[in-house]
């Protein structure tokens, strides 16, 4: 069983690896839901991290309907991460009617080869999830990250279970969003074998001087290493039992 941890900075990537994560989804800008990391973040991560890292290819926050200029950015970012030596990437594109953008997604998958491509939670905004599953399979993606079209995977349990059944090992279904050690055992019952969590926590700024007039907390986001260890232990126990 695989535990993927979403991180939003290099420090968190190091923490996730140290705590036992099997794979990292590398993003920036958590309050936008994750966007493509900078070149500096990408280069430093590939130098520091030894487990597989899949950067997200998302040029902006908001929806997943991209214009030609944004697609050009995504293509250049994909070529860059392939050149840098990453093993995979995460992306997702929809058409204006809520269907999976099969044509453009397939082009990106082909451009990225041999990288493994995960279709991210744009899937949770797609219409007709079972039909969308078949569309994503047609694009050549290796995985779908989904919360079962609900804000968190616990509430989307029934759909995730149905997606795992319908996928029938043709594509990997990765439950994600709101997964912690407190509910991971239940999510395992969907039949999934890979799981996604940010395991995030906020820490106070280490700055000694703080400008009170700015009315900002300047909290930093990092990975809760103990939470990652707890989830990894749960997965290992399930592997032993099966």
């Amino acid at each position: 069983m695989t535990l993927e941890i979403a991180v939003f900075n290099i420090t968190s990537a190091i923490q996730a690896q140290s705590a036992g994560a099997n794979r990292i989804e590398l993003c920036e800008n958590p309050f936008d839901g994750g966007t493509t990391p900078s070149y500096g973040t990408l280069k430093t991560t590939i130098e520091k991290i030894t487990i597989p890292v899949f950067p997200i290819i998302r040029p902006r926050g908001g929806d997943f309907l991209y214009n030609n200029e944004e697609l050009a950015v995504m293509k250049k970012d994909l070529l860059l991460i392939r050149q840098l030596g990453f093993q995979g990437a995460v992306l997702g594109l929809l058409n204006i009617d809520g269907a999976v953008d099969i044509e453009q997604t397939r082009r990106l998958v082909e451009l990225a080869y041999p990288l493994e491509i995960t279709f991210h939670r744009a899937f949770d905004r797609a219409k007709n999830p079972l039909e969308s599953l078949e569309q994503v399979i047609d694009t050549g993606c290796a995985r779908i990250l989904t919360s079962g079209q609900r804000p968190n995977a616990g509430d989307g349990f029934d759909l995730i279970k149905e997606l795992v059944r319908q996928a029938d090992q043709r594509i990997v279904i990765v439950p994600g969003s709101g997964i912690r050690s407190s509910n991971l055992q239940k999510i395992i019952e969907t039949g999934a074998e890979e799981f996604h969590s940010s395991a995030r926590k906020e820490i106070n700024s280490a700055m000694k001087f703080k400008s009170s007039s700015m009315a900002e907390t300047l909290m930093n986001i990092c990975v809760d290493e103990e939470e990652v260890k707890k989830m990894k232990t749960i997965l290992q126990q399930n592997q032993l039992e099966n």
Side-chain angles (χ1 to χ4, degrees):
M1 288 185 170
T2 298
L3 179 61
E4 176 181 83
I5 299 297
V7 306
F8 298 94
N9 49 61
I10 182 60
T11 299
S12 294
I14 294 169
Q15 291 170 326
Q17 175 173 265
S18 175
N22 301 107
R23 187 172 63 238
I24 287 173
E25 179 191 79
L26 182 64
C27 316
E28 288 183 351
N29 299 313
F31 301 111
D32 279 332
T35 57
T36 306
S38 69
Y39 173 80
T41 298
L42 292 167
K43 189 71 166 63
T44 305
T45 301
I46 204 69
E47 292 169 353
K48 297 283 186 180
I49 303 299
T50 58
I51 61 175
V53 177
F54 287 18
I56 195 169
I57 304 298
R58 189 179 178 212
R60 55 165 173 78
D63 64 30
F64 306 99
L65 178 66
Y66 298 111
N67 61 34
N68 289 335
E69 290 73 27
E70 290 166 335
L71 285 168
V73 170
M74 295 172 78
K75 290 174 183 177
K76 290 179 174 66
D77 284 335
L78 264 179
L79 291 173
L80 173 62
I81 68 166
R82 191 180 71 178
Q83 177 186 346
L84 288 173
F86 288 93
Q87 293 176 263
V90 182
L91 53 84
L93 300 88
L94 300 178
N95 290 322
I96 196 169
D97 64 353
V100 172
D101 187 340
I102 300 174
E103 180 181 353
Q104 292 295 347
T105 303
R106 184 182 289 130
R107 288 179 181 176
L108 293 176
V109 171
E110 291 172 352
L111 180 67
Y113 183 82
L115 275 65
E116 296 181 10
I117 301 298
T118 299
F119 195 96
H120 61 46
R121 290 185 62 222
F123 182 86
D124 291 325
R125 280 77 174 177
K127 67 178 182 181
N128 194 332
L130 299 183
E131 181 179 326
S132 295
L133 167 62
E134 299 301 326
Q135 293 172 338
V136 175
I137 290 173
D138 286 345
T139 68
C141 286
R143 294 175 180 81
I144 296 174
L145 173 62
T146 178
S147 59
Q149 298 202 332
R150 300 291 292 274
N152 64 75
D155 291 335
F157 178 91
D158 290 340
L159 178 55
I160 294 170
K161 187 173 183 178
E162 177 65 12
L163 291 167
V164 171
R165 185 202 65 77
Q166 182 170 317
D168 193 26
Q169 299 185 336
R170 293 176 296 156
I171 193 169
V172 179
I173 303 298
V174 186
S177 184
I179 294 181
R180 309 284 288 193
S181 59
S182 59
N183 64 359
L184 177 56
Q185 186 61 52
K186 176 64 176 177
I187 303 298
I188 290 172
E189 295 175 14
T190 62
E193 296 182 350
E194 298 191 8
F195 305 88
H196 173 102
S197 173
S198 64
R200 74 171 76 175
K201 68 176 181 179
E202 293 185 341
I203 59 174
N204 290 321
S205 169
M207 289 288 296
K208 291 184 178 179
F209 172 77
K210 298 177 183 178
S211 176
S212 58
S213 64
M214 293 303 294
E216 294 175 319
T217 60
L218 296 181
M219 300 286 284
N220 294 319
I221 288 179
C222 69
V223 165
D224 186 337
E225 293 184 66
E226 290 306 311
E227 180 64 20
V228 175
K229 291 176 183 177
K230 288 178 183 178
M231 289 189 286
K232 188 64 182 294
T233 297
I234 291 170
L235 295 180
Q236 289 172 333
Q237 289 173 341
N238 276 269
Q239 282 183 285
L240 289 173
E241 292 170 1
N242 295 316

